Each structure stands twice: as structure tokens, then as C-alpha cells.
Amino acid sequence: MPTKTLEATLAPPTAHKERKLQQLHDLYHEGLHESFEAGADTQSAVNDIVTPYDLPYQVKDALKNYVPSLDDAQELSANHPTRMVNRAASFDYSEGRTHSYVWEVPQPGRGTNFWIPLRINPEQEQLWADLLAGNVLPGQLQLIQNRASWKLHVSVEYSVEDSDYDTDSDDVTHIGLDIGESSLIMGCALRDGSPTRPLVCDGSRAKHLRKEMHTTLQRLQERDAAEWRIDERFDYYQNALTDIVEKASRQAVEYARGFEKPMLVMEDLTYIRESLDCGKFMNRRLHAWAFARLQDRIEDKARDAGIPVEYVNAAYTSQTCHECGHIGYRDSGGEFHCTNDKCRVTTFEGDINGAINIAQRADPWGESVPLKPAGNDSPRDGSACDSTTTHTEQSQPEQMTLSEFGSKPTASD
């Protein structure tokens, strides 16, 4: 069964509850680090280490399941979520409360649990209702500590109607979505193997907000502003970015619904943030952008609409020529250059070239990628480390351009 992640922000807790949440977070991380550093690779070995910890059983059981699968110390960062098994999914609902949904936070010992209100994602209200009604099954819970708030993620299994067409048939419209930092979404559909009607979802607003958020919060801290003032501004920017993600994901699915038998295809970016090495400045910018968050929201909306989603190999999608498969390069302006003299493509809009490559890889024969790139895909300032960068140069007359697709892309805030 497919899964979704329900998202909620904990209402500002009292000082007592804040201390309890912090203690839970700190003890979890202590147990996580001790188990990993001890090389505990079985549930029994982890159990021997975490048993003395004053943690609720829902957290200890999650550690026993999780630690043996760890193979990278990078996963032990300070913002690593506190994991809990599904027996921690105890919620209540009442229309008469300011916050209708509340969560029973597990604590060690009997009679020590406490309730805390939740601000749920309004677009997921039906799934929250289904969870309380038992119509969907809860999975793992993750308690995440942000700088100014706590968030709760609940994985749930749900059923959706299967698409009414064979996704392996030749008449499926594969739609590649390239998720990036400069362009939130660059999409392109393939009909009979030919690209058509590109989608451009601009990322300038999100980029501006992230930069402004970093500068504003830094200045407030330097001026010793009141904590409530800093928290207020942080929440403002986070809500604005969440709104952008919701609108962009909705636009991507509406774009897909405009084609017959659509299938959305996206890159598997599981380890992209760990593998990025574009210099300190660009790493901060790229790590700040939640690639997976946007992909998750696209997938959620696509599944609800009965549109299948597939993930493909992400290697070299920005450097491969969609026409001949030859490895070329992208310049600092984001334009792709094919170095194959026999190819009819000389230069091409780089973002759309990447989206076409992603769509083509939905074909299992399209998964093979060259072992070594030819050319430089990363300018010195790191601005092209992201798979989508802004196109700024004039197209050459002999190259393939967007005009060949028969329509102009649409931009979105």
C-alpha cells in the first residue's frame, strides 16, 4: 500500500512540556549515538544499550528497529528526528478546542504522558480524520525540533484507486519533473517520444524568501531581539515557503492532468543532499531547500488524482543530451551544449533538457548512464550544482528551442 506523511506543528508548549520534549529529544540522540558508535547491528544489541535510558518504550523500540540499518554517521546530525513506533500514534479530536487535534506525547513510566495541541496541514485534514477513524494505518512517527518550533510527522498507509490504464503500455504520457533550486519545477511531457508543452514553475520567490529569512533572523539575533519576535518571523517565512510548495505541487499535478494517461517521473534524490559538494555557500543554500518535501507533496497529490509516479536514476540528467544520449555540458547561464558533432542539437535550454531525460528514463532501457562525464557541469561559483539553473543567454538560430514544442511555458509564483 502507498504511504503518506501527515505533517503537524506542535502548538507552543508550556515551559514544563518544553522541558519534557527537550529531554526526550536529547536522550534519544544520546542513545542513538551510543548504539551506533558501539557498532550495535542487531535489535538485541541495541536493546542492551538503550534499556537503562529513561525513554518511553515507543522510542526504544524505534531505536532497536532503526540503528541496525544505519551505515552512515551523517544520519546522526543534530536535526535528526526522534523516531517512535506506531504505538505512539495516539490522537484525539474535538471541534470545541482552539486546535481540534491533540497528540498524547509518550513518556517513560505510567501516568506521565501529556497531551499537546497540533496545527495540522489543512490540505491533509481528511487523512487526519481517516487516521482517527481507523481508515488508514499509522506507521512511524518522527518528532522534529526546529529552531523555533516542534513538528510531528506521521507516516500512514492508505489505499487509492489504481489508474485505469496499463502503465507499461506505449500510449502512456511520461512527464519528467526536474526539481531544482533555481526553478522549483521544470516539467516536460513526451508524446510518441517527442517533448511537448513544457512547464516552468519559477523558484525566484522561494529563493528570495530563504535569503531574506537568513538575513532577518541573523540581524534579530545580533540585536538581542525578544525570543517571541524571532519565533514570529521564523514562522512567517516557514509558512510562506510551505504555501509555495503546496501551490507548486498542485500546479505540477494539474499540468499532468492535461495529458492522456499521464505518468509523473522524478529523480530519486534520496542522497542528493549528502552528496552535494558545491562549496560552503552553495551547500548552505541547497541544503536549505527541501527537495524531498516538494517531491512528496507532488506524489501525494498525484496519487490522489490517480496518476502513477515513478522515480528514476538521477545521474547525469543535466549533462546528457536528450536527443543523442551524448554527454555534454551546461554553461554558467544554464544552457546545455551537446558536444556530438553529428547531433542536430547544438545548444538547448538546460532545464528542459534535464526534464526530458528524466521522462525518457521511465523506460527501463533508459536507466543506463555513461560512467564518466565529458565537460564541466559546475561553474566555479557552484551555481550550476543544482540540476536547474536560470537560462540567460540568447538561443542560437540553429539550435532546438522551446518554439519547436508549439507552445510557451507558463510561469508560476
Side-chain angles (χ1 to χ4, degrees):
M1 294 177 67
T3 62
K4 284 188 177 181
T5 299
L6 300 184
E7 302 175 352
T9 300
L10 275 60
T14 63
H16 174 72
K17 292 180 179 180
E18 176 73 32
R19 286 195 298 270
K20 291 294 185 181
L21 291 170
Q22 190 65 55
Q23 183 180 26
L24 182 65
H25 173 274
D26 293 345
L27 281 177
Y28 171 87
H29 278 74
E30 187 177 332
L32 176 65
H33 279 82
E34 182 179 352
S35 301
F36 179 76
E37 291 167 3
D41 56 1
T42 65
Q43 291 192 10
S44 177
V46 177
N47 183 65
D48 292 340
I49 293 173
V50 303
T51 293
Y53 280 81
D54 193 24
L55 287 168
Y57 71 89
Q58 298 95 330
V59 174
K60 290 181 179 179
D61 286 350
L63 281 169
K64 288 185 285 187
N65 291 331
Y66 179 64
V67 174
S69 67
L70 275 174
D71 57 6
D72 192 340
Q74 287 186 346
E75 298 184 51
L76 308 181
S77 61
N79 60 355
H80 186 87
T82 299
R83 298 171 185 266
M84 307 175 195
V85 296
N86 61 359
R87 292 188 296 282
S90 178
F91 302 96
D92 186 59
Y93 172 84
S94 174
E95 291 184 355
R97 291 191 291 254
T98 302
H99 301 290
S100 299
Y101 288 88
V102 293
W103 173 45
E104 186 179 13
V105 183
Q107 293 287 286
R110 289 190 174 183
T112 57
N113 294 357
F114 60 87
W115 294 90
I116 194 163
L118 299 176
R119 298 171 176 169
I120 68 169
N121 182 341
E123 295 216 358
Q124 297 179 328
E125 188 167 3
Q126 184 57 54
L127 269 177
W128 278 101
D130 289 341
L131 176 62
L132 265 70
N135 298 328
V136 297
L137 302 176
Q140 186 183 80
L141 281 73
Q142 296 187 12
L143 179 63
I144 304 164
Q145 184 182 32
N146 289 331
R147 199 203 61 80
S149 63
W150 295 85
K151 292 187 180 297
L152 180 68
H153 289 178
V154 185
S155 174
V156 296
E157 292 185 346
Y158 68 105
S159 60
V160 295
E161 295 183 4
D162 295 332
S163 59
D164 57 359
Y165 53 90
D166 180 5
T167 56
D168 293 327
S169 63
D170 293 336
D171 58 349
V172 170
T173 304
H174 294 114
I175 302 169
L177 298 181
D178 194 2
I179 309 299
E181 201 255 348
S182 294
S183 296
L184 292 189
I185 305 171
M186 181 65 72
C188 194
L190 296 182
R191 287 302 293 167
D192 300 323
S194 299
T196 183
R197 289 166 49 192
L199 165 73
V200 180
C201 187
D202 182 44
S204 58
R205 173 63 176 163
K207 184 189 298 184
H208 171 76
L209 281 172
R210 293 196 304 278
K211 182 179 179 180
E212 183 181 294
M213 177 176 68
H214 175 76
T215 303
T216 300
L217 296 181
Q218 186 177 50
R219 288 176 178 173
L220 287 172
Q221 290 173 334
E222 290 172 351
R223 297 172 183 173
D224 294 325
E227 189 69 20
W228 69 267
R229 176 71 67 185
I230 298 176
D231 292 349
E232 182 183 67
R233 297 311 296 165
F234 179 84
D235 288 342
Y236 164 78
Y237 288 114
Q238 289 300 305
N239 291 336
L241 289 169
T242 296
D243 184 62
I244 289 174
V245 168
E246 294 299 326
K247 289 179 178 178
S249 55
R250 187 181 305 115
Q251 182 183 2
V253 173
E254 287 303 314
Y255 170 73
R257 292 167 70 103
F259 297 93
E260 293 184 5
K261 299 184 178 180
M263 171 189 280
L264 288 175
V265 188
M266 294 185 285
E267 294 175 310
D268 183 354
L269 302 177
T270 305
Y271 301 106
I272 187 171
R273 283 179 289 186
E274 286 75 9
S275 64
L276 284 171
D277 186 14
C278 307
K280 182 177 180 180
F281 175 71
M282 277 302 295
N283 278 346
R284 178 175 64 79
R285 287 176 58 199
L286 294 173
H287 286 219
W289 176 242
F291 292 99
R293 182 183 177 191
L294 181 52
Q295 283 191 335
D296 287 346
R297 296 304 293 142
I298 292 173
E299 180 173 354
D300 286 348
K301 290 180 172 64
R303 299 288 188 194
D304 290 343
I307 300 174
V309 178
E310 182 172 336
Y311 290 89
V312 298
N313 186 354
Y316 303 123
T317 53
S318 66
Q319 300 179 53
T320 303
C321 176
H322 71 273
E323 181 70 17
C324 68
H326 190 81
I327 289 293
Y329 67 95
R330 287 178 59 163
D331 60 29
S332 59
E335 198 165 66
F336 172 78
H337 298 258
C338 181
T339 54
N340 180 7
D341 294 337
K342 298 181 180 179
C343 180
R344 71 190 185 102
V345 172
T346 55
T347 56
F348 201 86
E349 212 292 333
D351 294 343
I352 300 215
N353 179 70
I356 297 171
N357 283 323
I358 293 169
Q360 290 174 338
R361 290 186 183 183
D363 178 352
W365 293 102
E367 286 294 333
S368 299
V369 295
L371 296 178
K372 185 176 181 181
N376 178 17
D377 195 48
S378 302
R380 293 181 182 178
D381 66 355
S383 62
C385 289
D386 180 23
S387 58
T388 56
T389 52
T390 304
H391 173 58
T392 58
E393 297 182 12
Q394 183 72 27
S395 300
Q396 299 299 320
E398 70 275 16
Q399 75 180 71
M400 295 175 64
T401 64
L402 293 180
S403 61
E404 296 200 18
F405 300 150
S407 63
K408 294 182 180 180
T410 56
S412 171
D413 293 331

